[in-house]
Amino acid sequence: MDPAEFGISTLPLQHGPYPAISPETLHGVNAGKIAVITGAGQGIGAGIAESLAQSGANVAILDLTVEKLDKTKETCQAHGVKVEAYACDVTEKDAVLATFDRIEKDLGPIDVLVNNAGILDQRPYIMSTFEGFWRQIEVNFKGPLITIHALLPRFRERGGGCIINIASRSGTVDVPMTLAYVSSKAALIRATHTLQQEMALDGLDPAIHFYALHPGGVLTGMGGSAAKQDIAEKYGNLQDEASFMELFKDPPALCGQTCAFLASGRGEELRGLFLDCRQDVTKLLEYGREALLKEKRNTLGVKFLDGYCNEP
């Protein structure tokens, strides 16, 4: 993959928490809220959980096993908030419903949901098992839809709530050998746009606000993993390793602090949009919601030849 193929920003990107989203700026902004984070055992999910705890939220952290959550729980508790850990497979509807019931019994009504759990198996579709391919779709797309479906009625009853879907720039570009990942992330971005419009239909906009968020280039076991041996044997070295690794220079705290900012409602004017946490939210807010929507910025789209429109 050649990064230059997708364009290079002329505005500076952020590679760490900046003033608008710093821990100092957001201290206490989510005090008293209950936030649920899936896939919180490590990496980005752990960073999101800590940032929300640091901003005052009590947190419910989810992963496949409780043991995977021990370190995250300890880190979050250091910020003086309530923290509970739950084993939950987000692709299992009954398990999600039961877990949410337990969370609300243990901590109280849920105010914030961050759908972070995700998996990636880098291989061409023709060399994949269908079961392996589909499992990625289930975790990355079905899982968030299950958690959202379980939570929306509760948000409706209480008149508000925030849902952040951890998406990816991969959902906006074509990346060979990641068909399940790019497809599921594109679907999640589109779902975010559409769900926000459905909130408007029900008179629940902006009280219930959705966001799709690219977490930046975080070096995790998923994003920074090398090609499997069978793939390398067939296709050789597909990328310049040095330039590829240069893409991963963002700490989990950049995404985490952006989530804390959005959960607070300070980014409400950006609801329903696809955001890149490396782009300064103050610039987007200054540009204005009306202009962003009118010009179809931060949303998925298709460019046709001049003169042709994507008409009904």
Side-chain angles (χ1 to χ4, degrees), residues 28 38 50 68 110 146 163 171 180 197 212 215-216 220 237 240 261 268 296:
T38 70
E50 180 176 12
K68 295 179 70 173
I110 297 166
I146 287 175
I163 296 176
Q197 292 189 0
T220 63
N237 184 16
D240 177 347
F261 175 86
E268 195 176 78
K296 300 189 184 301

Side-chain angles (χ1 to χ4, degrees), residues 94-149:
D94 290 343
V96 168
L97 287 168
T99 300
F100 282 7
D101 286 342
R102 285 182 57 202
I103 292 169
E104 298 208 325
K105 181 179 179 181
D106 295 341
L107 294 173
I110 297 166
D111 302 290
V112 179
L113 167 66
V114 184
N115 282 311
N116 169 73
I119 58 174
L120 164 66
D121 181 17
Q122 291 182 280
R123 57 179 53 247
Y125 185 56
I126 198 171
M127 292 181 69
S128 304
T129 64
F130 186 79
E131 291 74 17
F133 165 82
W134 196 249
R135 178 61 181 169
Q136 295 173 77
I137 303 290
E138 289 198 318
V139 175
N140 299 347
F141 185 53
K142 177 185 174 183
L145 288 188
I146 287 175
T147 60
I148 291 168
H149 194 263

Side-chain angles (χ1 to χ4, degrees), residues 178-194:
T178 64
L179 178 61
Y181 191 76
V182 299
S183 299
S184 58
K185 293 301 184 180
L188 191 56
I189 295 169
R190 176 59 68 203
T192 302
H193 301 328
T194 303

Side-chain angles (χ1 to χ4, degrees), residues 7 11 21 31 40 52 55 84 88 90 94 121 141 157 163 170 191-192 196 231 257 283:
L11 294 173
I21 64 167
L52 284 164
S55 71
E84 296 291 345
C88 182
V90 295
D94 290 343
D121 181 17
F141 185 53
E157 285 179 12
I163 296 176
S170 297
T192 302
Q196 192 65 57
I231 306 301
Q257 288 301 123
K283 291 188 180 297

Side-chain angles (χ1 to χ4, degrees), residues 15 214-219 247-251 254 276-278:
H15 298 294
H214 170 51
V218 182
L219 186 59
L247 300 175
F248 297 96
K249 53 189 174 186
D250 304 320
L254 177 59
D276 183 335
C277 72
R278 301 170 300 174

